[in-house]
Amino acid sequence: MEKKIKLGIIGAGRIGKLHAENVANHIGYVEIKAVSDLYADKVKDWANNLGIQNVYGDYHQILNDPEINAVMICSSTDTHSQITIEAAKAGKHIFCEKPIDYDLDRIKAALQAVKEAGVKFQVGFNRRFDHNFKKVRELVQTGKIGDPHIIKITSRDPAPPPIEYVKVSGGIFLDMTIHDFDMARYLSGSEVVEVYTAGAVLVDPAIGKAGDVDTAVITLKFKNGAIGIIDNSRRAAYGYDQRVEVFGSKGSIVVSNDTPSSAVLSTEDGVFSDKPKYFFLERYADSFLDEVSQFFDCVLNHKETPVSGIDGLKPVLIGLAAKKSYETGKPVVIE
């Protein structure tokens, strides 16, 4: 198949490798011409096995390559906005992992650079592409449950991240709950106007010492009058817990956990079924492929990307409000 897009991937950690493997194995019209990583020597064999011939320690070598017309920014969060600005000025179409930044001014500067360059830009909120959540949004948008009244999102990880990661992650609201803030906007079809947060350290005291919480409940008020509830935990003993309910004036929609199989064993000893899929790579495998497929389709066919820069900014704004609410013990209004 003709390679119509030449791609550079910046950052070859867990998510960068996942995207690279999806592109190499499933999207025939995209050629990964180069990958860059601070530890280039450690990823060279992996890259070569995928057919990626150019492995750089400096991402500027990707940006300076006139043949490369699209980049995926999968480096550490503190580099996303700066690389976005540089990539836009270099005329590259950009897929940027979430979040764009933790600082609103830096996000706005990045989005302005994208606008001035006229390049495509998509943020990696992959859960929008999950088969279950897409169906929920479709049913809400077509009025099947009437006016949304309550949006409930449960998001609990199977194990907490390393403490060194917690220290630089921006905290639970900007690292973990940010997906749920995006999902709340996506499913409700409305903007969040007020946030109230209750948080605690119940999983690992070291998380508290690092200045974060590991357990939280966030209440949201939406512009359309609906109320949202998000509950988070850094550790669910039974696996990755990802559930959603949207309750409205005419009915409700519920999404349960994906499991390896739907088989249920019933015996005199009890009723048994599979635990949820272990973590996000297993649970959301298809959504990661779908999001990048749609990005490249937008680049190729000059369409608007499904997750815009504003979609990248709004969850950060809500996350900052949630953090402020936790620190002050008061609701925070978003204007």
Side-chain angles (χ1 to χ4, degrees), residues 4-5 22 24 35 41 66 82 92 94-95 105 112 121 131 146 189 194 196 206 215 227 293 327 330 332:
K4 297 179 180 179
I5 296 173
N22 276 337
V35 62
D41 289 343
Q82 181 59 36
K92 314 298 187 190
I94 303 161
F95 179 97
D105 288 335
Q112 183 62 31
F121 183 77
H131 59 291
E194 186 177 294
Y196 176 71
T215 307
I227 298 169
S293 298
E327 291 169 350
K330 297 176 181 178
V332 173

Side-chain angles (χ1 to χ4, degrees), residues 42-255:
K42 293 184 178 179
V43 301
K44 194 163 284 184
D45 288 344
W46 162 83
N48 292 160
N49 286 336
L50 277 185
I52 306 168
Q53 300 303 316
N54 302 298
V55 182
Y56 306 132
D58 182 355
Y59 68 86
H60 291 98
Q61 290 180 264
I62 288 176
L63 300 185
N64 293 334
D65 186 334
E67 280 197 347
I68 291 175
N69 52 358
V71 296
M72 301 186 77
I73 302 174
C74 308
S75 48
S76 60
T77 296
D78 58 355
T79 66
H80 288 181
S81 59
Q82 181 59 36
I83 297 176
T84 294
I85 291 170
E86 294 177 28
K89 289 180 178 177
K92 314 298 187 190
H93 300 293
I94 303 161
F95 179 97
C96 180
E97 268 303 327
K98 65 86 193 168
I100 304 170
D101 205 295
Y102 300 135
D103 182 276
L104 294 176
D105 288 335
R106 287 198 291 266
I107 294 175
K108 290 175 184 176
L111 299 187
Q112 183 62 31
V114 166
K115 183 179 179 182
E116 290 174 0
V119 295
K120 300 295 181 189
F121 183 77
Q122 182 172 322
V123 181
F125 280 121
N126 65 291
R127 294 184 193 178
R128 289 180 174 228
F129 301 86
D130 173 71
H131 59 291
N132 292 321
F133 299 151
K134 279 197 294 187
K135 186 64 176 180
V136 173
R137 177 177 165 87
E138 175 194 323
L139 294 171
V140 172
Q141 293 287 306
T142 54
K144 298 298 185 184
I145 61 155
D147 297 323
H149 289 178
I150 299 171
I151 294 96
K152 295 173 72 174
I153 300 171
T154 293
S155 183
R156 304 168 187 161
D157 286 354
I163 295 302
E164 293 308 311
Y165 175 82
V166 171
K167 290 177 181 177
V168 299
S169 69
I172 191 171
F173 306 119
L174 293 173
D175 164 53
M176 179 179 173
T177 325
I178 192 167
H179 276 292
D180 306 313
F181 294 143
D182 178 64
M183 193 50 48
R185 294 182 65 240
Y186 178 69
L187 296 180
S188 68
S190 185
E191 298 295 348
V192 175
V193 295
E194 186 177 294
V195 182
Y196 176 71
T197 304
V201 180
L202 302 174
V203 173
D204 185 352
I207 292 175
K209 290 177 183 175
D212 200 10
V213 298
D214 54 36
T215 307
V217 174
I218 303 107
T219 305
L220 309 172
K221 289 185 180 178
F222 294 91
K223 190 174 183 179
N224 65 4
I227 298 169
I229 306 105
I230 298 170
D231 81 79
N232 288 149
S233 174
R234 287 288 197 184
R235 185 176 68 85
Y238 48 86
Y240 194 39
D241 194 352
Q242 300 283 290
R243 289 172 286 143
V244 158
E245 179 187 4
V246 182
F247 170 80
S249 57
K250 294 181 180 178
S252 72
I253 315 161
V254 175
V255 169

Side-chain angles (χ1 to χ4, degrees), residues 21 34 75 148 156 159 237 273 300 333:
E21 289 163 9
S75 48
R156 304 168 187 161
S273 62
L300 203 59
V333 174

